[in-house]
Amino acid sequence: MKVNSPLQIYKYLPQTNCGECGEATCMAFASHLLDRSKKVADCPPLLDDKYKKKYLELSELLAPEIREVIAGVGETAVKIGGDDVLYRHQLTFFNPTVLAYDVTDTMSEEELVDRVKRISGFKKFYVGSFLKLNMVAVRSTSNDPERFKRAVKKVSETTTLPLILCSFNPDVLAAGLEVSADKKPILYAATKENWQQVSELALKERTPVVLFSPGDLDELKTLAVSFREMGIEDLILDPGTYPRGEQLKTTFQNFLKIRRAGIKEGQKDIAYPLMATPITAWMVNEDPIRASYWETVLASVFTVRYGDVMIMHSIEPYALIPEVLIRETIYTDPRTPVRVDPGVYEVGNPTKDSPVIVTTNFALTYYTVESDLSSNDIDCYLATVDTDGIGVEASVAGGQLTAAKIKETFDNAGFDFKEKTSHNTVILPGLAARLQGDVEDVTGLNVKIGPPDSGRIPGWMETNWPPK
Amino acid sequence: MVKKLKINDVIELLKDADVEALEGVTFEGDIELEIEETTGIDSLFAYTLGEETAKIGLYLLNLARSIGYPVDQIARIQAQPPTPSAPKLSKLIESKFTVGTIDEWKTPIEEVTLGATSSDGGTRGHTITLGGERALPYYFDAPMPNRNYVTIDVFDMPISMAKTVKSNYEDVMEDAGEWAKKVVNEFDADMVTIHLISTDPLIKDTPAVEASKTVEEVLQAVDVPIVIGGSGNPAKDPEVLERAAEVAEGERCLIASANLNMDYERIAAAANKYGHVVLAWTQLEINAQKELNRKLMKQCGVDRDRIVVDPTTAALGYGLDYAYTNMERIRLAGLIGDEELNFPMSSGTTNAWGAREAWMVSSPLKEDSDWGPREYRGPIWEIVTGLTLALGGNDLFMMMHPGAVKVLKEITQTLFGSIKTDETNLSNWVAEVLA
């Protein structure tokens, strides 16, 4: 975006402090526009005709440096790109990398349906919600338009996830579009050979299109400038993801170059989302485990450095779980607090016989422990000690988790073991076992040592609770 | 305030400046730039003025900026809206891609050498040099002088570890020397870390003198540079590491570690006296890292080429976002001139094995999709944790699983540029992958 202070935004707002946006003042709303936690359209008065000029000007000023491209329709539509910074600590990255997994038009129908269901059904719990996959990439390995059309039709009947139609043959892409245009798929890809036909398809159906120019940034920019000239703005750039050797090093640097040109140098001609294709790992690795590993390695590299949408093949859990978590790692908003408020929380409906469990106030630790307890229907008290947002093992080593801090947590919460429990017992994390003696001395409580990982609390409870 | 400015006015404005590049350029017609106060430059105008004219316009603005005309504050160039009817093209509009390098990266990361050969009073077969970068890792701005290195963990007693890791070490866990040989000879470790974990008063409370014998055994068993680690007990470590430093005198080991919650002066003094390098460990806090590095240099007199920093590694899914961003910030600060932060970095990548996804048989949450076999989950967890930090600027990796070491070395050395392979042709990958 082209502004860096709320004041610059404020002068485009109605300045009436009407509160319709949910903020007390227009200045507060301006701050939210600046950190992108609110949108211009969240100001109802600004939508009025008399403000139309200001609305348009402000929207232009606030537009992200990298174009945001939307694919798909409805709840599963994906936003691709839209970043404003090169490093996440400078603000945050927006629109987590969209992960697409492939099917082919030469698969049997049964195989295809099974695979699509596995892609759309995958979920992995993380800090209070489930991480999922976003798209299905339908590859034409037959190069037969009719066959591709059938496959695309079957996939879109099976899932609501948006599609990427993959072929370098425009006739094949046209056939796929015939049965999926209303779902706004991404076209993959336009090249220097097929650009005329593919641009016509993209113009006609208003679908996003990927420009593919492996290893040649001049050619990629040539395509981008030409497509823009033809009025096609929903572009995604694929500079080619070479799977190994010096070509991979060049690929990495190409991603850096394009993104730096777009964000740091404001080169609008090249400021589009980037596609990486870690799936090419399968071109150079025979062994499927080795290929899957290398694919995840490539996916990680390009999640960290500027891949906005990626196509992968492996749907093994050992590929998908790290892939969704590295995406979360990079796209988690660094402005959100690292820690939860210290205190004694109730999980479920604890009674006097329920356990009292200690953990730290590092947000990830807290949410992990909390979900392990609630998911397994364990009613208990969960005390979060103020460890400056550091996890259990590190805070025991670093002196942020001590017996005195544990006592202080219960004291400050007004938690009286005599009144609230029948057992006068506190459970420490297994990784804090060395604090046992100290905690007994400082609090006068019975201290039990829980498992080193809260995922094992259910099993631990079977043999250790209630205390004898 | 709105000010109208014509290209010819800009040229007039610049006539005293050195405008060689404009010689021979003529303007046909008169292009009017409207400049309005207090907004930024809208580079979208490039499209509407036509690309060549726009380039000249931008060039003029840059010139104006360079001679002090405050274009950034006052210039917003408003252009006519683009023509709605998009032309059909009969041929592509040829364009050249260019991008600059980062001028602000002027300060190199310190180069720190580990290990000493006989010519320097040690007995190591070779040395390893970390750091020296002048850009973020693998960037095109400046070549990276030294590759990433991996040191594999060895312990002075059998310890509990994830089954997938343990299966590689069961035959050597009783003997640190054999363990060290195995990681060097079979698992391609660049270095060995000997963790004197048994010295912890809550484990075995092995006396420092006895523990130092294990260090001697490892030095005898292998000739790679070594890292000497304590048990992490802040009260006992100074004594243990002091003694270990003494028996390893002259070997230029990495002493792990000094931190703010212990008597770091003793560690630093021992490293100085016996010729070692200090690992400065802080916990995910850039300012604490500055403070510790400053104290090591100013208060303890540790030379700049004897400091490696460990800003803490958290596992993928368990705080890697903080660890990664912390390292990236430290590296960027170093490159732009913060001389309390421009040191090589080390990661306890083994921490990845603390993530339940790395070692648990199956998910404790019934709602999760199947986690699949854990023997494949663990190594990739260690790889992705290490790789992410490599991209953030980490130089040295402390690792455990041989398969993870292999893949991490392969990807970091590929990005570094030392792995050559046959070329791949991507022009028809859509149909060729697994076809």
Side-chain angles (χ1 to χ4, degrees):
Chain A
M1 61 176 73
K2 290 166 189 60
V3 286
N4 51 28
S5 109
L7 263 173
Q8 291 169 294
I9 297 171
Y10 179 75
K11 48 181 210 163
Y12 290 90
L13 299 177
Q15 305 176 10
T16 54
N17 299 334
C18 69
E20 282 186 59
C21 60
E23 296 301 319
T25 64
C26 290
M27 190 58 92
F29 181 66
S31 313
H32 284 287
L33 289 178
L34 190 66
D35 70 16
R36 291 179 58 176
S37 57
K38 281 209 152 61
K39 298 191 292 289
V40 183
D42 293 335
C43 171
L46 209 54
L47 301 174
D48 193 285
D49 250 6
K50 69 174 174 176
Y51 288 118
K52 193 171 177 189
K53 187 163 175 284
K54 286 191 163 178
Y55 176 85
L56 291 174
E57 286 173 354
L58 185 56
S59 299
E60 174 63 32
L61 282 177
L62 293 173
E65 294 296 323
I66 302 299
R67 188 176 177 83
E68 186 175 87
V69 172
I70 296 173
V73 292
E75 284 187 2
T76 56
V78 290
K79 288 182 188 169
I80 301 168
D83 275 322
D84 262 323
V85 292
L86 288 172
Y87 310 108
R88 60 190 289 276
H89 68 265
Q90 292 173 326
L91 179 68
T92 184
F93 288 147
F94 294 91
N95 302 332
T97 306
V98 166
L99 305 178
Y101 294 82
D102 80 321
V103 294
T104 68
D105 64 356
T106 45
M107 282 177 172
S108 71
E109 184 176 310
E110 193 187 359
E111 197 185 348
L112 181 123
V113 168
D114 175 64
R115 213 174 136 80
V116 169
K117 284 185 175 163
R118 286 172 65 188
I119 295 165
S120 46
F122 175 82
K123 55 181 187 165
K124 167 75 177 79
F125 184 82
Y126 180 74
V127 193
S129 62
F130 284 95
L131 308 178
K132 295 181 177 177
L133 314 178
N134 313 104
M135 296 186 90
V136 177
V138 190
R139 288 194 291 131
S140 178
T141 42
S142 71
N143 202 31
D144 172 352
E146 283 310 309
R147 208 159 167 178
F148 188 64
K149 189 197 277 187
R150 279 201 302 276
V152 170
K153 188 157 184 288
K154 194 75 214 169
V155 175
S156 55
E157 285 166 6
T158 311
T159 180
T160 57
L161 292 182
L163 309 184
I164 305 178
L165 308 184
C166 306
S167 174
F168 296 121
N169 179 343
D171 297 333
V172 170
L173 288 179
L177 258 185
E178 271 179 46
V179 289
S180 64
D182 57 328
K183 305 267 177 67
K184 206 178 174 191
I186 294 175
L187 289 181
Y188 185 98
T191 65
K192 69 174 191 293
E193 284 83 24
N194 70 16
W195 64 274
Q196 274 174 310
Q197 297 101 307
V198 175
S199 64
E200 275 170 29
L201 290 175
L203 267 176
K204 180 162 157 256
E205 303 294 353
R206 293 272 145 206
T207 54
V209 60
V210 180
L211 309 179
F212 176 57
S213 175
D216 187 338
L217 297 186
D218 289 338
E219 186 183 294
L220 192 61
K221 185 175 170 186
T222 294
L223 285 169
V225 168
S226 304
F227 272 62
R228 175 65 182 73
E229 182 67 18
M230 291 184 283
I232 305 170
E233 295 180 326
D234 283 341
L235 301 175
I236 296 167
L237 309 180
D238 178 1
T241 302
Y242 287 94
R244 63 178 175 178
E246 287 176 306
Q247 286 177 309
L248 173 54
K249 180 184 169 74
T250 305
T251 299
F252 177 76
Q253 298 191 338
N254 283 344
F255 274 70
L256 304 178
K257 286 177 178 172
I258 296 172
R259 191 48 49 92
R260 182 184 292 174
I263 287 182
K264 191 164 195 294
E265 300 185 1
Q267 297 187 32
K268 281 285 164 195
D269 281 348
I270 200 88
Y272 296 102
L274 286 165
M275 174 181 275
T277 55
I279 188 173
T280 59
W282 294 83
M283 296 175 85
V284 293
N285 291 288
E286 300 257 320
D287 173 55
I289 293 163
R290 152 94 198 157
S292 179
Y293 257 54
W294 197 248
E295 182 179 59
T296 302
V297 162
L298 297 181
S300 303
V301 168
F302 294 107
T303 301
V304 175
R305 294 287 182 226
Y306 311 137
D308 299 297
V309 51
M310 300 199 286
I311 300 177
M312 270 83 67
H313 173 71
S314 176
I315 55 169
E316 294 294 335
Y318 58 83
L320 299 181
I321 299 174
E323 282 161 7
V324 294
L325 276 164
I326 187 61
R327 171 179 66 179
E328 217 50 32
T329 297
I330 298 305
Y331 284 86
T332 293
D333 190 338
R335 299 168 297 179
T336 51
V338 187
R339 49 198 85 167
V340 296
D341 291 336
V344 181
Y345 296 87
E346 292 184 2
V347 179
N349 300 296
T351 65
K352 290 187 105 174
D353 297 327
S354 301
V356 182
I357 298 171
V358 169
T359 190
T360 76
N361 77 326
F362 181 34
L364 282 161
T365 309
Y366 171 78
Y367 286 115
T368 304
V369 176
E370 200 275 337
S371 66
D372 287 336
L373 294 167
S374 53
S375 162
N376 287 289
D377 302 321
I378 296 173
D379 296 319
C380 63
Y381 293 101
L382 182 58
T384 56
V385 179
D386 184 358
T387 57
D388 300 335
I390 295 172
V392 175
E393 193 168 20
S395 63
V396 170
Q400 293 88 357
L401 182 58
T402 62
K405 283 276 194 70
I406 292 170
K407 180 172 191 299
E408 186 185 304
T409 306
F410 288 110
D411 289 350
N412 289 348
F415 190 92
D416 182 351
F417 278 78
K418 298 245 156 48
E419 171 202 326
K420 296 265 190 177
T421 74
S422 58
H423 46 70
N424 210 36
T425 300
V426 66
I427 302 170
L428 297 187
L431 294 173
R434 63 163 68 165
L435 300 180
Q436 182 168 18
D438 281 358
V439 176
E440 283 167 354
D441 294 347
V442 171
T443 63
L445 297 167
N446 304 317
V447 177
K448 286 182 82 73
I449 302 301
D453 187 297
S454 58
R456 289 186 167 178
I457 291 176
W460 182 90
M461 294 274 289
E462 280 172 25
T463 49
N464 292 280
W465 199 263
K468 290 173 193 108
Chain B
M1 187 185 86
V2 173
K3 202 174 161 183
K4 286 197 174 173
L5 191 66
K6 294 177 178 178
I7 288 265
N8 285 329
D9 296 335
V10 177
I11 292 168
E12 184 66 18
L13 180 77
L14 300 176
K15 70 173 190 259
D16 296 328
D18 185 16
V19 202
E20 285 168 8
L22 280 179
E23 280 174 13
V25 175
T26 54
F27 295 102
E28 292 188 2
D30 203 1
I31 297 148
E32 197 173 80
L33 309 175
E34 194 177 71
I35 294 180
E36 187 184 303
E37 205 175 338
T38 72
T39 46
I41 292 177
D42 179 0
S43 57
L44 264 181
F45 83 109
Y47 293 117
T48 52
L49 290 185
E51 184 166 86
E52 288 311 308
T53 319
K55 275 184 189 157
I56 293 164
L58 268 180
Y59 184 64
L60 289 171
L61 283 163
N62 284 333
L63 276 172
R65 185 189 289 118
S66 71
I67 61 162
Y69 194 73
V71 285
D72 287 322
Q73 286 78 49
I74 68 157
R76 171 176 165 77
I77 292 153
Q78 291 191 332
Q80 301 307 308
T83 43
S85 61
K88 263 196 162 182
L89 296 179
S90 56
K91 66 183 185 63
L92 290 169
I93 304 165
E94 292 297 328
S95 302
K96 285 277 173 209
F97 177 84
T98 58
V99 70
T101 52
I102 306 288
D103 300 333
E104 297 88 6
W105 293 347
K106 289 186 180 10
T107 311
I109 303 307
E110 194 70 39
E111 280 199 330
V112 175
T113 297
L114 300 175
T117 59
S118 56
S119 60
D120 292 310
T123 63
R124 303 299 86 200
H126 64 275
T127 63
I128 278 172
T129 299
L130 304 174
E133 297 93 338
R134 290 168 179 271
L136 282 180
Y138 328 121
Y139 273 50
F140 55 92
D141 301 85
M144 189 166 158
N146 300 297
R147 69 166 169 93
N148 304 94
Y149 289 92
V150 173
T151 176
I152 297 187
D153 294 330
V154 168
F155 295 84
D156 68 344
M157 60 179 276
I159 60 154
S160 66
M161 54 179 90
K163 203 175 165 195
T164 314
V165 178
K166 195 173 188 172
S167 60
N168 296 287
Y169 298 115
E170 268 163 335
D171 54 334
V172 292
M173 283 174 71
E174 298 286 347
D175 186 328
E178 290 303 310
W179 196 339
K181 276 185 197 164
K182 186 167 191 180
V183 302
V184 173
N185 298 335
E186 293 179 37
F187 302 150
D188 198 24
D190 298 307
M191 296 179 61
V192 171
T193 303
I194 174 65
H195 295 277
L196 302 173
I197 193 162
S198 76
T199 59
D200 190 319
L202 296 174
I203 297 178
K204 277 191 183 171
D205 205 12
T206 307
V209 175
E210 202 179 310
S212 68
K213 290 180 186 151
T214 310
V215 175
E216 289 178 297
E217 276 171 39
V218 171
L219 285 167
Q220 295 274 328
V222 294
D223 75 348
V224 297
I226 71 164
V227 183
I228 302 172
S231 67
N233 181 302
K236 181 92 178 274
D237 269 1
E239 179 195 349
V240 170
L241 294 175
E242 219 166 50
R243 189 76 196 184
E246 187 181 349
V247 302
E249 180 166 12
E251 299 285 7
R252 208 176 168 102
C253 304
L254 181 61
I255 306 294
S257 52
N259 68 70
L260 289 166
N261 302 318
M262 68 181 327
D263 189 354
Y264 55 83
E265 285 180 77
R266 270 178 85 179
I267 310 279
N272 284 344
K273 184 171 175 190
Y274 302 113
H276 300 298
V277 176
V278 178
L279 185 65
W281 173 50
T282 56
Q283 290 169 296
L284 297 176
E285 169 55 54
I286 192 168
N287 291 313
Q289 191 70 60
K290 278 172 74 76
E291 181 188 346
L292 178 58
N293 295 355
R294 182 165 63 240
K295 285 178 165 166
L296 289 174
M297 289 186 286
K298 299 273 161 62
Q299 179 187 339
C300 309
V302 180
D303 290 338
R304 291 186 56 85
D305 66 353
R306 288 183 186 266
I307 295 175
V308 175
V309 302
D310 177 357
T312 292
T313 292
L316 174 63
Y318 296 86
L320 180 60
D321 44 339
Y322 308 116
Y324 162 72
T325 282
N326 190 41
M327 278 195 173
E328 189 167 79
R329 288 181 63 198
I330 287 173
R331 179 50 48 94
L332 287 168
L335 290 170
I336 62 169
D338 188 330
E339 298 210 323
E340 289 171 351
L341 290 173
N342 61 334
F343 297 98
M345 292 192 280
S346 172
S347 152
T349 314
T350 305
N351 288 352
W353 289 93
R356 57 174 58 171
E357 287 84 350
W359 60 266
M360 248 184 212
V361 176
S362 59
S363 176
L365 302 177
K366 40 189 176 287
E367 301 89 346
D368 266 356
S369 294
D370 181 26
W371 279 14
R374 63 173 164 178
E375 59 266 35
Y376 299 136
R377 267 186 271 125
I380 194 75
W381 220 259
E382 191 174 7
I383 294 164
V384 174
T385 300
L387 172 56
T388 305
L389 298 178
L391 294 165
N394 189 67
D395 298 278
L396 177 67
F397 298 84
M398 301 191 177
M399 300 180 69
M400 283 223 77
H401 191 279
V405 170
K406 188 165 186 288
V407 176
L408 186 91
K409 288 181 96 168
E410 187 175 354
I411 183 62
T412 54
Q413 287 173 35
T414 298
L415 295 175
F416 175 74
S418 55
I419 294 184
K420 321 270 187 242
T421 61
D422 289 343
E423 296 210 331
T424 310
N425 182 349
L426 293 186
S427 62
N428 196 25
W429 76 262
V430 166
E432 285 173 5
V433 172
L434 297 174

